[in-house]
Every structure is written in structure tokens, then in C-alpha cells.
Amino acid sequence: MRDDERFEIVRAMDQLPHIAGASFATVWFRLGGNREPSKEEFRAKVVEHFQAACNALETFPDSDEFTPIKKYIRHRMKQEVEDITSGYNREIEKRYKRYLDYG
């Protein structure tokens, strides 16, 4: 698969963790009244919402043309989840701190 064929998916996977994952997690904790979730709680909620958003990417058909992009999505999703849960996703860590500071 050429890079230009997956450009939009690469961009989506770059954005989904903090746009969908962290934003939805923040709303979840705010509405639930939890002003001080632990890092682990916040990361777990981010992963939950990130994975839910990624489910939309599973709508590509199971055909030979789409096999490479689906394989890339699954690989990238796994990597993003690992980065979030281990604290390596700087954007998620920044959003967590911002939530604690400004909730």
C-alpha cells in the first residue's frame, strides 16, 4: 500500500486518541463529578473511548482491496493503546494534567 493511499487513516489515527479518547474521557469524569481521577483511571477511559471511535474504521469491507488498510488500522490501534496505557502519549498526559488543573 502506498503512503498516499493511507494518508487520511494515518491522520485519523494521529488525532483519535486525544480528540475522541481524551475529550470524551474528560466529559465522562466531569459529568460524573470525579475531579481527580488517577492517571490509570483517566488512561483507561481514554482507551475505552478511543477504541469505540476506532470501531467506525471497521466498516471497511472484508475484501482484498481493504485488507492492507484494515491490517494497518489494527496495528496502529494496538500501538496507540499501548502508548496511552504506558503514559507515552504526551498529548493524553497533557490533557490529564489540564483536567486536574482546570477540571
Side-chain angles (χ1 to χ4, degrees):
M1 171 180 293
R2 297 184 333 246
D3 285 342
D4 64 321
E5 291 177 323
R6 67 178 183 188
F7 173 78
E8 296 299 335
I9 296 298
V10 170
R11 294 274 300 143
M13 296 304 287
D14 289 344
Q15 301 291 320
L16 279 174
H18 62 278
I19 298 298
S23 297
F24 294 172
T26 298
V27 171
W28 174 273
F29 288 114
R30 186 174 292 139
L31 293 179
N34 186 347
R35 294 292 197 206
E36 295 183 14
S38 69
K39 280 186 180 184
E40 292 75 22
E41 288 175 307
F42 190 82
R43 291 172 186 163
K45 193 53 73 175
V46 168
V47 166
E48 180 182 332
H49 289 290
F50 168 65
Q51 288 175 324
C54 285
N55 286 337
L57 301 173
E58 288 295 323
T59 60
F60 290 120
D62 291 324
S63 63
D64 291 341
E65 302 87 42
F66 289 91
T67 298
I69 197 69
K70 289 182 87 167
K71 184 177 177 183
Y72 172 78
I73 290 167
R74 289 182 185 121
H75 169 75
R76 196 52 205 280
M77 186 174 158
K78 181 180 176 193
Q79 184 62 52
E80 291 297 332
V81 167
E82 289 174 10
D83 288 351
I84 292 165
T85 56
S86 64
Y88 292 137
N89 185 312
R90 287 182 175 169
E91 188 65 31
I92 301 304
E93 298 304 300
K94 181 169 61 174
R95 301 258 178 145
Y96 171 71
K97 185 173 177 352
R98 184 180 303 150
Y99 179 70
L100 291 182
D101 291 344
Y102 305 109

